[in-house]
Amino acid sequence: MIRLKVNGTPRTVTAPADMPLLWVLRDVLRLTGTKYGCGIGHCGACTVLIDGARANACLTTIGSLDGAEVTTIEGLGTPAAPHPVQAAWIDHQVAQCGYCQSGQIMAAMDLLAQRPDPTDQDIADFMWGNICRCGTYPRIRTAIRDAAARLRAETAE
Amino acid sequence: MSRLGRIARRTFLLGSAAVAGGVAIGYWAWKRPVANPLPATLPEGAHAFTPYVVIDAGGVRVIAPRAEVGQGIASSLAALVAEEMDLDWPTVRIEHGPPSGAYYNGKVAAEGFPFAATDSGMLARGARGLGDAVAKFADLQITGGSTSVADAFDKMRQAGAAARAVLLSAAAEREGVPRSGLRTEAGAVILPDGRRVPYPALAELAAGRDIPLDAEPKAPRDWRLLGRPMQRHDIIAKSTGTARYAIDMDLPDMVFATVRTNPARGGLNGMDADAAAAMPGVLKIVPVDGGAGVIADNSWTAMQAANAIDFSWGPPPFPADSATMWEQVAASFTEDRRDSRLKDEGDLGAALAEGEIVEAEYRVPYLAHAPLEPMTAVARLADGRLDLWTGTQIPVFARDRAADRAGLDAGAVTLHVLPAGGSFGRRLEDDCIAQAVDLAMAMPGRPVKLTWSREEDMARDFPRPMAMARGRGAVSGGRVTGFDLSVAAQSVTASQMGRLGMPVAGPDVTIVAGAWDQPYAMPACRVTGYRVPEMVPVSSWRSVGASMNGFFHESFLDELIHAAGADPLEERLRLIDDPLSRKVLEAVGEMSGWAGPRPADGIGRGVAFTLSFGVPTAEIVEVRNTESGIAIDRVWVAAEVGRIIDPINFENQMQGGVVWGLGHAMNCELTFTEGRPDQNQLNLFEGMRIGQCPEIAVHGLENGDTVRGIGEPPVPPAAPALANAIFAATGQRIRDLPLWNAVDFA
Ligand code: FES
Ligand code: FES
C-alpha cells in the first residue's frame, strides 16, 4: 500500500510496487489527462510533477512514491479557471491534436519554476524531451514566453 | 444500401479506367437529396434541420461529420454553419454525429482522377463530378486528402442558410410580422421592435416546414465569423487535460486490453501463454489475427502479460530486409511494371540531344504515421448490440465491417467517433477496431478498452511506401530544357482500398502525384510511374504520393537549375505557367528577401514548390552549417488556398506541416530486418525536436475561387527545400532521405 498526495489530495494506492505511476494515474485513479506515448521515457507525453520537479510517469514506479506529492495536468486549473500557463496555451491556441499538450504544459511548469524568464536556448534545452508529432513547437515557444510574463506579473503583484 | 451503392462500392474506380469505362449512375439519382440520418437519433424536443443542424432547448448543435485528428476540422466545419445561422460562436455545440452516407465526401474520390488541379477543362470537371457521384453512392464518409473544408464549404453553408430561412419564416408566422422586417443575431431572430426570439423557441414551429433547397449563403464580405481568428472549440479541453480520446474512455465495468501480433506480419505458428495467463490481474488471453490479445484489470498488466507470451511467428509475406526491398524497387523500371505516363509534353529526344545532360537517382524510405496516441478502440457487446468508441476517418466502413465481424446488422452497431491524438492517415484503417470487436466478443457484457503499445503501433503501421526516382534532364543556354522523371513505388491506393474490400482499376495516381501535375511549362517534360509489387502493406501518409514526389521533383529540378547556372527561384518563376502558383512563389521570395544580399558563408537557402491537393505551396528554408551540424534557422512558406476559414488554425496547420516535412526528412525511416521494422520506438523515429524547430513565417493567399484544405500541402516542399538549402550551404547534394545518413543536424 502506497500513500501519496495527488493534486493535493491524499491517496492510498494498492498496486504492484513496479507499476508505473502513469498507469496508476490513468487506470487506477482514473486521471486520464496524463498520456501514454512510448512508455520508455522518450516522448514526454506522460510528464507530471513529482515534488515540484518534472518526471516521466511511465518510468516512475509507484513503489518509489511513498510520501511523494504528484501534480498532474488536472491539478493545475480547470476549464473554467485555468492556471496562467494553461491560459497562455489557450490564448495562443497551441494544441492541434492536443495529445502531447498535458506533458508540454507540465514540463513548462518546471521550466518556469526554475527560469522565470527563460531564453530561447532554455526552452530548447528543457523542452527537448517533449515530442509534438503535430509540430506545434512554434506556438509552444510563444506560449511559454507569454506564460512566463503572466507568472512574473502575478508574483510582482 | 441501394444496388447502385453496392456497385459503386465494389468497383471504386480510379484513374482513366473510370473515365473511359464510365460509371452507370443516373443524373437524377445523383442529384436526389440525401436522407437525413439525424431524426432517428434525436430525443423528444430536439429537431433536425438538414443533416447538419439540431436545435433543442439547450441551443444549436452542429454536426461536423469528419474526424478531428488535430487539424481543427470540427471547429472549421461548425463555423460554416454558425456563420450562416448567425450563431453565438462560443455557445455552439459541435458533434461528429452518426456514421452515415449522408455525409459522403464528394471531393475525396475526385482526387483519384488523373487531372491536374490546374486543369479546368471539360473532361477534368466531368471526372471530378463523377468522383462526387461515386462517393455518394458508395457512402464514402471519409476524412482525407485535405478535402473536408472543400467538400463542406457549399454544403454546410447552404445547410446553415436553409436552417436560418425556416427559422425566419417560423418567426414571421408566430409574431405576425413580415419576414422582410426580421434579422438574425447571436442565435436569435430579432423582431422589428428589437425583441429577441432565441432559435430554440422557434424550433418546434419551424420543424414542420420544408427546408428550402435554394437558400443563398452570405457573400464573404458579410462574414462576421469566417476569415477571422476564432477560438477552436477543443482548445480549452486540450489545454486542461480534459479532452477525451479513445484511450481515455472510462465506462462502468470496463476492462483493459492490448494485443501483440507478428511484427513481421506473417502468421502465428504457435504460442505459449501459460506464464502470461498466470499473472495476477490477467483476465483472459484471446487469439486475434496473427497474434493474441490480453485482457486484464489495467493496461500495464495487459502489456506486461503480452510481453510474457512466447510466440512462434511465421515468416513475413514480403522480402525480409531493406536491401532486398530496394532491389525489388530498382528492378521495377520496366515496361511491364509501367503504371502511368500522365505527362509527356514536347520533344524530349530533341531536348536531350541538344543540351547538357544531368542524371540523378533519389530514394525515400518507408515512413510510419506514429500518431502520439497509439491505436486505440473501445468495444462493448451487450444485449445483441455493439457499441464502439474510437477515432476513425472511415466511420461507415468501420461500423459496417465491425457489424459483419460481430455477426450483427449495421443497425445494431453504434459507433461513437472521438477525437484522435493524431492520425496523419493512420486512422484510415480499421485493424484496431476489428481487434477490439474480437476482444469484446470474448468478454460479452463488459466494455473492453484496447490500447496498442508503441512497439505494436510502429511494427503494425501501414507506412508510406519506400520509393525511388530516376531523373534525366537537359539544360542549355542557362535554362532547363528537358525533364524526364521516372518514379517507382508500391501502389498506396491498391494496398489501402484492397484492405477495405474495394478493388481498384486503372493506374494509381498516387505513384506520381506531386510530380506529373506540377504547373511548370518546360520545353520537354515527361513523368512516368512504375508500380512496385506489394511488399510491406502501405497506406496514405500525410500528403500521400506528394510526400515523396515533392522531394523527387524539386530536388531534380534544383539540380538542373544549378547545372544551368540559373537562380533557383528565378528559373522556377520563369518556368511556372499557372498564375496562382506564380504568385505563391513570388510571395515566398518577397517574404524571405530572396533577391536581397546573398547570405553569409556557411548559410544556405533552398526553395521548393509543390502543387498538391489543389494548393500551390512554396517554401524557402535557411540553414546554417555549424560545428555541431546543420541548424535550420528559418522557414518561409506561402500557399494559395482560396479562402482562409480561420487564420490562427491556418498558421498552426502550415507550421505543423512544415515541421512534419522537415522532421521526417531529417531523421526518420523504417528499415526492415527479418520482416520487422528496426525502428519500433520513438527514440528511433524522432522527427523534429523543439530545439531544432526554426522560426516559420506563414503567408496565405486568397486569389483563387476554390476553397482548399491545408492539412497536407505544406508537407511536400519541406524536404526538398531543406536538401536544396543544405546544398547551397555546403555544396553537398543529398539524394536519399533521411538526410542524417549524410549530414549531422544540430
Ligand atoms: S510515455 Fe512516458 S515518455 Fe513517452
Ligand atoms: S498537438 Fe498533437 S502531438 Fe502535439
Side-chain angles (χ1 to χ4, degrees), chain A residues 94-101 104 131-137 140, chain B residues 69-70 238 245 371-373 420-422 424:
Chain A
V94 174
Q96 289 189 23
C97 85
Y99 194 78
C100 71
Q101 301 297 347
Q104 305 279 4
I131 289 180
C132 177
R133 289 288 287 159
C134 298
T136 64
Y137 299 130
I140 291 174
Chain B
V69 293
K238 287 177 174 176
Y245 309 86
L372 202 54
E373 178 192 18
F424 316 111

Side-chain angles (χ1 to χ4, degrees), chain B residues 504-647:
Chain B
V504 288
D508 183 2
V509 188
T510 70
I511 293 174
V512 287
W516 81 275
D517 45 2
Q518 297 309 294
Y520 292 113
M522 297 190 237
C525 182
R526 184 161 80 183
V527 176
T528 313
Y530 295 89
R531 188 182 292 218
V532 177
E534 173 115 327
M535 299 188 293
V536 180
V538 290
S539 179
S540 298
W541 182 94
R542 194 172 186 178
S543 79
V544 201
S547 73
M548 52 199 194
N549 285 310
F551 177 71
F552 295 151
H553 191 282
E554 287 300 284
S555 294
F556 186 52
L557 182 58
D558 213 63
E559 294 210 46
L560 289 170
I561 293 173
H562 281 285
D567 176 85
L569 181 59
E570 288 305 312
E571 181 65 357
R572 280 179 174 83
L573 278 167
R574 194 184 67 77
L575 291 170
I576 211 123
D577 79 339
D578 167 49
L580 295 176
S581 300
R582 171 186 305 281
K583 288 209 173 90
V584 166
L585 267 172
E586 286 169 350
V588 85
E590 238 164 74
M591 290 163 75
S592 65
W594 180 276
R598 282 180 55 88
D601 266 6
I603 294 181
R605 286 180 174 184
V607 59
F609 167 92
T610 308
L611 171 68
S612 66
F613 306 92
V615 179
T617 308
E619 291 172 31
I620 290 176
V621 171
E622 181 176 293
V623 301
R624 197 162 29 97
N625 199 4
T626 75
E627 269 178 12
S628 50
I630 298 288
I632 308 174
D633 287 336
R634 291 193 286 180
V635 175
W636 297 268
V637 50
E640 162 61 51
V641 293
R643 287 275 171 204
I644 294 171
I645 302 296
D646 170 5

Side-chain angles (χ1 to χ4, degrees), chain A residues 77-95 101 105 139 143-144 146-147 150, chain B residues 230-242 648 652:
Chain A
T78 63
H83 183 279
V85 176
Q86 293 172 313
W89 245 254
I90 291 167
D91 289 351
H92 292 282
Q93 303 215 51
V94 174
Q101 301 297 347
I105 290 170
R139 301 190 110 69
I144 289 178
D146 185 26
R150 290 176 199 228
Chain B
M230 62 180 95
Q231 189 175 77
R232 269 174 64 158
H233 265 257
D234 52 358
I235 211 76
I236 294 177
K238 287 177 174 176
S239 310
T240 50
T242 53
I648 295 184
N652 204 350

Side-chain angles (χ1 to χ4, degrees), chain B residues 73 117 135 195 334 336 402 420 482 670 729:
Chain B
I73 200 62
R195 273 184 302 135
T334 60
D336 62 318
L670 292 182

